[in-house]
Amino acid sequence: MSVDFPAWAALAGDSPTSRTEWAALVRAWGEPHRRYHDLAHLAAVLGIVEQLADAASDPDAVRLAAWYHDVVYDPTRNDNEAVSAGRARAGLRGLVPDERIAEVERLVLLTAGHAVEPGDANGAVLCDADLAVLASPPEAYAAYASAVREEYGHVPDEQFTAGRIAVLEQLLALPRLYRLPAVAGTWEPRARANLAAEISLLRARAASGPATPPPAAG
């Protein structure tokens, strides 16, 4: 999926303010410390949202939420989703209706834990798209996990291992990783197998000591 200006303008219009906001978003997603949560991830999530858009009640709100869901990504802090939601609220002011801004903000916040309530069609589309990487073939999943480790290069191995295991176990504890029937039947078993395999690889390196904030899952 394209992350160029026409794709953005279809959601937020073509105005000087919109062009400035798009440029700021692309610049943020292109920060050099990103190894997984980068422009390629944004494009991938947007592409999957497009495939699943018919299931959403407000597809454009979901598309906008995808643009903002990791726009702030600092591996040294644990409130990136909250700050990203605030960034969406500020950046979209005057570009889209207030009701849509509120929905975008809600959706971005939802990606912190991916705990989608029954009947939340927009949340299901965004969270399923964000977690799609977990259902990748093993080689692609390993590349994803390696890229996340690079983003946390400042964290010692023992602390990273404990934090990563914690977030993977949190995901496995969800009743369902995916909500949409169109993908759940195929993605769910594949993702759970990938998560279990990574936990098995990491568990031997798990340390006793306090863990850092869990690395992001999606």
Side-chain angles (χ1 to χ4, degrees), residues 81-160:
E81 292 84 3
V83 181
S84 293
R87 177 71 180 76
R89 183 175 63 252
L92 290 172
R93 188 175 297 121
L95 296 178
V96 301
D98 289 347
E99 296 81 5
R100 182 162 286 160
I101 293 175
E103 177 65 354
V104 170
E105 186 176 7
R106 183 189 74 83
L107 290 169
V108 172
L109 289 170
L110 196 60
T111 64
H114 302 93
V116 180
E117 295 294 328
D120 183 358
N122 290 337
V125 172
L126 179 64
C127 287
D128 281 9
D130 191 30
L131 294 182
V133 65
L134 302 182
S136 300
E139 297 81 3
Y141 182 90
Y144 145 73
S146 176
V148 170
R149 180 65 184 104
E150 288 183 37
E151 290 179 335
Y152 284 81
H154 61 285
V155 179
D157 281 344
E158 289 184 352
Q159 289 184 332
F160 176 85

Side-chain angles (χ1 to χ4, degrees), residues 23-77:
L25 290 173
V26 171
R27 186 164 56 250
W29 280 95
E31 291 166 337
H33 68 275
R34 297 173 183 251
R35 293 295 182 270
Y36 170 70
H37 297 88
D38 56 8
L39 284 165
H41 172 62
L42 171 60
V45 172
L46 285 168
I48 297 170
V49 165
E50 205 58 39
Q51 295 171 27
L52 304 177
D54 287 347
S57 56
D58 186 349
D60 282 350
V62 181
R63 294 179 180 108
L64 286 166
W67 275 92
Y68 283 98
H69 79 287
D70 282 323
V71 68
V72 176
Y73 186 73
D74 179 352
T76 68
R77 59 193 300 165

Side-chain angles (χ1 to χ4, degrees), residues 190-202:
R190 192 185 301 163
R192 289 188 177 275
N194 282 333
L195 293 172
E198 186 181 357
I199 289 172
S200 294
L201 290 172
L202 291 170

